Coordinates of all heavy atoms in Angstrom, one line a residue:
S4 N 2.2 -106.3 -66.4 CA 2.8 -105.1 -67.0 C 2.7 -103.9 -66.1 O 3.5 -102.9 -66.2 CB 2.4 -104.9 -68.4 OG 1.0 -104.6 -68.4
D5 N 1.8 -103.9 -65.1 CA 1.6 -102.7 -64.3 C 2.5 -102.8 -63.0 O 2.4 -101.9 -62.1 CB 0.2 -102.6 -63.8 CG -0.7 -102.2 -65.0 OD1 -0.2 -101.7 -66.0 OD2 -2.0 -102.5 -64.9
Y6 N 3.3 -103.8 -62.8 CA 4.0 -104.1 -61.6 C 5.5 -104.0 -61.9 O 6.0 -104.6 -62.9 CB 3.7 -105.4 -61.0 CG 2.3 -105.5 -60.3 CD1 1.2 -105.5 -61.1 CD2 2.2 -105.4 -58.9 CE1 -0.1 -105.6 -60.5 CE2 1.0 -105.5 -58.4 CZ -0.1 -105.6 -59.1 OH -1.4 -105.6 -58.4
A7 N 6.3 -103.4 -61.0 CA 7.7 -103.5 -61.0 C 8.0 -104.9 -60.4 O 7.3 -105.4 -59.6 CB 8.3 -102.5 -60.1
I8 N 9.1 -105.5 -61.0 CA 9.5 -106.8 -60.4 C 10.9 -106.7 -59.8 O 11.8 -106.1 -60.4 CB 9.5 -107.8 -61.6 CG1 8.2 -108.0 -62.3 CG2 10.0 -109.2 -61.1 CD1 7.1 -108.5 -61.3
S9 N 11.0 -107.3 -58.7 CA 12.3 -107.3 -58.0 C 12.7 -108.7 -57.7 O 11.8 -109.6 -57.4 CB 12.3 -106.5 -56.7 OG 12.2 -105.1 -57.0
W10 N 14.0 -109.0 -57.7 CA 14.5 -110.3 -57.1 C 15.3 -110.0 -55.8 O 16.1 -109.1 -55.8 CB 15.5 -111.0 -58.1 CG 14.8 -111.6 -59.3 CD1 14.5 -111.1 -60.5 CD2 14.3 -112.9 -59.3 NE1 13.9 -112.0 -61.2 CE2 13.7 -113.2 -60.6 CE3 14.2 -114.0 -58.3 CZ2 13.1 -114.3 -60.9 CZ3 13.6 -115.2 -58.7 CH2 13.1 -115.3 -60.0
Y11 N 14.9 -110.7 -54.8 CA 15.6 -110.7 -53.5 C 16.3 -112.0 -53.3 O 15.9 -113.0 -53.8 CB 14.6 -110.4 -52.4 CG 14.1 -109.0 -52.3 CD1 13.0 -108.6 -53.1 CD2 14.5 -108.1 -51.3 CE1 12.5 -107.3 -53.0 CE2 14.0 -106.9 -51.2 CZ 12.9 -106.5 -52.1 OH 12.4 -105.2 -51.9
R12 N 17.3 -112.0 -52.4 CA 17.8 -113.2 -51.9 C 18.0 -113.1 -50.4 O 18.3 -112.1 -49.9 CB 19.2 -113.5 -52.7 CG 20.3 -112.6 -52.3 CD 21.5 -112.9 -53.2 NE 22.7 -112.1 -52.9 CZ 23.8 -112.0 -53.7 NH1 23.9 -112.8 -54.7 NH2 24.8 -111.2 -53.4
R13 N 17.9 -114.3 -49.8 CA 18.2 -114.4 -48.4 C 19.4 -115.4 -48.2 O 19.2 -116.6 -48.7 CB 17.0 -114.9 -47.6 CG 17.2 -114.9 -46.1 CD 15.9 -115.2 -45.4 NE 14.9 -114.2 -45.6 CZ 14.8 -113.0 -44.9 NH1 15.8 -112.8 -43.9 NH2 13.9 -112.1 -45.1
T14 N 20.4 -115.0 -47.6 CA 21.6 -115.8 -47.5 C 21.4 -116.8 -46.4 O 20.6 -116.7 -45.5 CB 22.8 -115.0 -47.3 OG1 22.8 -114.3 -46.0 CG2 23.0 -113.8 -48.3
P15 N 22.4 -117.8 -46.3 CA 22.3 -118.7 -45.1 C 22.4 -118.0 -43.8 O 21.9 -118.5 -42.8 CB 23.5 -119.6 -45.4 CG 23.7 -119.7 -46.9 CD 23.4 -118.2 -47.3
G16 N 23.0 -116.8 -43.7 CA 23.0 -116.0 -42.5 C 21.8 -115.2 -42.3 O 21.7 -114.4 -41.4
N17 N 20.8 -115.4 -43.1 CA 19.4 -114.8 -43.0 C 19.5 -113.3 -43.2 O 18.6 -112.6 -42.8 CB 18.9 -115.1 -41.6 CG 17.3 -115.1 -41.6 OD1 16.7 -115.6 -42.5 ND2 16.7 -114.5 -40.5
Q18 N 20.4 -112.9 -44.1 CA 20.4 -111.5 -44.5 C 19.6 -111.4 -45.8 O 19.8 -112.3 -46.7 CB 21.8 -111.0 -44.8 CG 22.7 -111.0 -43.4 CD 22.1 -110.0 -42.4 OE1 21.9 -108.8 -42.7 NE2 21.9 -110.5 -41.2
R19 N 18.8 -110.4 -46.0 CA 18.0 -110.2 -47.2 C 18.5 -109.1 -48.0 O 18.8 -108.0 -47.4 CB 16.5 -110.0 -46.9 CG 15.7 -110.1 -48.1 CD 14.2 -110.0 -47.7 NE 13.8 -108.7 -47.3 CZ 12.6 -108.3 -46.8 NH1 11.6 -109.3 -46.8 NH2 12.3 -107.1 -46.4
E20 N 18.7 -109.3 -49.3 CA 19.2 -108.2 -50.1 C 18.4 -108.2 -51.4 O 18.1 -109.2 -52.0 CB 20.7 -108.5 -50.4 CG 21.4 -107.6 -51.4 CD 22.8 -108.0 -51.8 OE1 23.1 -109.3 -51.7 OE2 23.6 -107.1 -52.1
R21 N 18.1 -107.0 -51.9 CA 17.4 -106.9 -53.2 C 18.6 -106.8 -54.2 O 19.4 -105.9 -54.2 CB 16.5 -105.7 -53.2 CG 15.8 -105.5 -54.6 CD 14.6 -104.7 -54.5 NE 14.8 -103.3 -54.2 CZ 13.9 -102.4 -54.1 NH1 12.5 -102.7 -54.3 NH2 14.1 -101.2 -53.7
V22 N 18.5 -107.7 -55.1 CA 19.6 -107.8 -56.1 C 19.4 -107.2 -57.4 O 20.3 -106.8 -58.2 CB 20.1 -109.3 -56.3 CG1 20.6 -109.9 -54.9 CG2 19.0 -110.1 -56.8
A23 N 18.1 -107.1 -57.8 CA 17.7 -106.6 -59.1 C 16.3 -106.1 -59.1 O 15.4 -106.6 -58.5 CB 17.9 -107.7 -60.2
I24 N 16.1 -105.0 -60.0 CA 14.8 -104.4 -60.1 C 14.5 -104.2 -61.6 O 15.4 -103.7 -62.3 CB 14.7 -103.0 -59.4 CG1 15.1 -103.2 -57.9 CG2 13.3 -102.5 -59.5 CD1 15.3 -101.8 -57.3
S25 N 13.3 -104.5 -62.0 CA 12.8 -104.2 -63.3 C 11.6 -103.3 -63.2 O 10.6 -103.8 -62.7 CB 12.6 -105.4 -64.1 OG 12.0 -105.1 -65.4
T26 N 11.6 -102.0 -63.6 CA 10.5 -101.1 -63.4 C 9.5 -101.3 -64.5 O 9.7 -101.8 -65.6 CB 11.0 -99.7 -63.3 OG1 11.4 -99.3 -64.7 CG2 12.2 -99.6 -62.4
V27 N 8.3 -100.7 -64.3 CA 7.3 -100.7 -65.3 C 7.8 -99.9 -66.5 O 7.4 -100.3 -67.7 CB 6.0 -100.0 -64.7 CG1 5.0 -99.8 -65.8 CG2 5.4 -100.9 -63.6
G28 N 8.6 -98.9 -66.3 CA 9.1 -98.1 -67.5 C 10.2 -98.8 -68.2 O 10.7 -98.2 -69.2
G29 N 10.7 -99.9 -67.8 CA 11.7 -100.6 -68.5 C 13.1 -100.4 -68.0 O 14.1 -101.0 -68.6
S30 N 13.3 -99.7 -66.9 CA 14.6 -99.5 -66.3 C 15.0 -100.7 -65.4 O 14.1 -101.4 -64.9 CB 14.7 -98.3 -65.6 OG 14.4 -97.1 -66.3
T31 N 16.3 -100.9 -65.4 CA 16.8 -102.0 -64.5 C 17.8 -101.5 -63.6 O 18.6 -100.5 -63.9 CB 17.4 -103.2 -65.3 OG1 18.4 -102.7 -66.1 CG2 16.3 -103.8 -66.2
Y32 N 17.9 -102.1 -62.4 CA 18.9 -101.7 -61.3 C 19.4 -102.9 -60.7 O 18.7 -103.9 -60.6 CB 18.2 -100.8 -60.3 CG 17.6 -99.5 -60.9 CD1 16.3 -99.5 -61.3 CD2 18.3 -98.3 -61.1 CE1 15.7 -98.4 -61.9 CE2 17.8 -97.2 -61.7 CZ 16.4 -97.3 -62.1 OH 15.8 -96.1 -62.6
Y33 N 20.7 -102.8 -60.2 CA 21.3 -104.0 -59.6 C 22.1 -103.6 -58.4 O 22.6 -102.5 -58.3 CB 22.3 -104.6 -60.6 CG 21.6 -105.1 -61.9 CD1 21.5 -104.3 -63.0 CD2 21.0 -106.4 -61.9 CE1 20.9 -104.7 -64.2 CE2 20.4 -106.8 -63.1 CZ 20.3 -106.0 -64.2 OH 19.7 -106.4 -65.3
A34 N 22.1 -104.5 -57.5 CA 23.0 -104.3 -56.3 C 24.4 -104.4 -56.7 O 24.8 -105.1 -57.7 CB 22.7 -105.4 -55.2
D35 N 25.3 -103.7 -56.1 CA 26.7 -103.7 -56.4 C 27.3 -105.1 -56.4 O 28.2 -105.4 -57.2 CB 27.5 -102.8 -55.5 CG 27.2 -101.3 -55.8 OD1 26.8 -101.0 -56.9 OD2 27.5 -100.5 -54.9
S36 N 26.7 -105.9 -55.5 CA 27.3 -107.3 -55.3 C 27.1 -108.1 -56.5 O 27.8 -109.2 -56.7 CB 26.7 -107.9 -54.1 OG 25.3 -107.9 -54.2
V37 N 26.1 -107.8 -57.4 CA 25.8 -108.6 -58.5 C 25.9 -107.9 -59.9 O 25.8 -108.6 -60.9 CB 24.4 -109.2 -58.5 CG1 24.2 -109.9 -57.1 CG2 23.3 -108.1 -58.7
K38 N 26.2 -106.6 -59.8 CA 26.3 -105.9 -61.1 C 27.3 -106.4 -62.0 O 28.5 -106.7 -61.6 CB 26.6 -104.4 -60.7 CG 26.4 -103.4 -61.9 CD 26.6 -101.9 -61.4 CE 25.5 -101.6 -60.4 NZ 25.6 -100.2 -59.9
G39 N 27.0 -106.5 -63.2 CA 27.9 -107.1 -64.3 C 27.8 -108.6 -64.4 O 28.3 -109.2 -65.3
R40 N 27.1 -109.3 -63.4 CA 27.0 -110.7 -63.4 C 25.6 -111.2 -63.6 O 25.3 -112.2 -64.2 CB 27.6 -111.3 -62.2 CG 29.1 -111.0 -62.0 CD 29.6 -111.8 -60.7 NE 29.0 -111.4 -59.5 CZ 28.3 -112.3 -58.8 NH1 28.2 -113.6 -59.1 NH2 27.7 -111.8 -57.6
F41 N 24.6 -110.4 -63.1 CA 23.2 -110.8 -63.1 C 22.5 -109.9 -64.1 O 22.8 -108.7 -64.2 CB 22.6 -110.6 -61.7 CG 23.0 -111.7 -60.7 CD1 24.1 -112.5 -60.9 CD2 22.3 -111.8 -59.5 CE1 24.4 -113.4 -60.0 CE2 22.6 -112.7 -58.6 CZ 23.7 -113.6 -58.8
T42 N 21.4 -110.4 -64.7 CA 20.6 -109.7 -65.6 C 19.1 -110.0 -65.3 O 18.7 -111.1 -65.3 CB 20.9 -109.9 -67.1 OG1 22.3 -109.6 -67.4 CG2 20.0 -109.1 -68.0
I43 N 18.3 -108.9 -65.1 CA 16.9 -109.1 -64.9 C 16.2 -108.8 -66.2 O 16.6 -107.9 -66.9 CB 16.4 -108.3 -63.7 CG1 14.9 -108.6 -63.4 CG2 16.5 -106.8 -64.0 CD1 14.4 -108.0 -62.2
S44 N 15.2 -109.6 -66.5 CA 14.4 -109.3 -67.7 C 13.0 -109.7 -67.5 O 12.7 -110.4 -66.5 CB 15.0 -110.1 -69.0 OG 15.0 -111.4 -68.8
R45 N 12.1 -109.4 -68.4 CA 10.7 -109.8 -68.2 C 10.1 -110.0 -69.6 O 10.4 -109.3 -70.6 CB 10.0 -108.7 -67.4 CG 9.9 -107.4 -68.0 CD 9.5 -106.3 -67.0 NE 8.1 -106.5 -66.5 CZ 7.6 -105.9 -65.5 NH1 8.3 -105.0 -64.7 NH2 6.4 -106.1 -65.1
D46 N 9.1 -110.8 -69.6 CA 8.3 -111.1 -70.8 C 6.9 -110.9 -70.4 O 6.2 -111.8 -69.8 CB 8.5 -112.5 -71.4 CG 7.8 -112.7 -72.7 OD1 6.8 -112.0 -73.0 OD2 8.2 -113.6 -73.4
N47 N 6.3 -109.7 -70.6 CA 5.0 -109.4 -70.1 C 3.9 -110.2 -70.7 O 2.9 -110.5 -70.1 CB 4.7 -107.9 -70.3 CG 5.5 -107.0 -69.4 OD1 5.9 -107.4 -68.3 ND2 5.7 -105.7 -69.9

């Protein structure tokens, strides 16, 4: 619960992108490429 959690992806072209963030305070953020399609959540 003391850590922010992020999801990253690396494409076949070896590009790395952070797609989602869940902060300690409960906020979430998404890359434009996945916004509206992906949801990050956590069960502490």
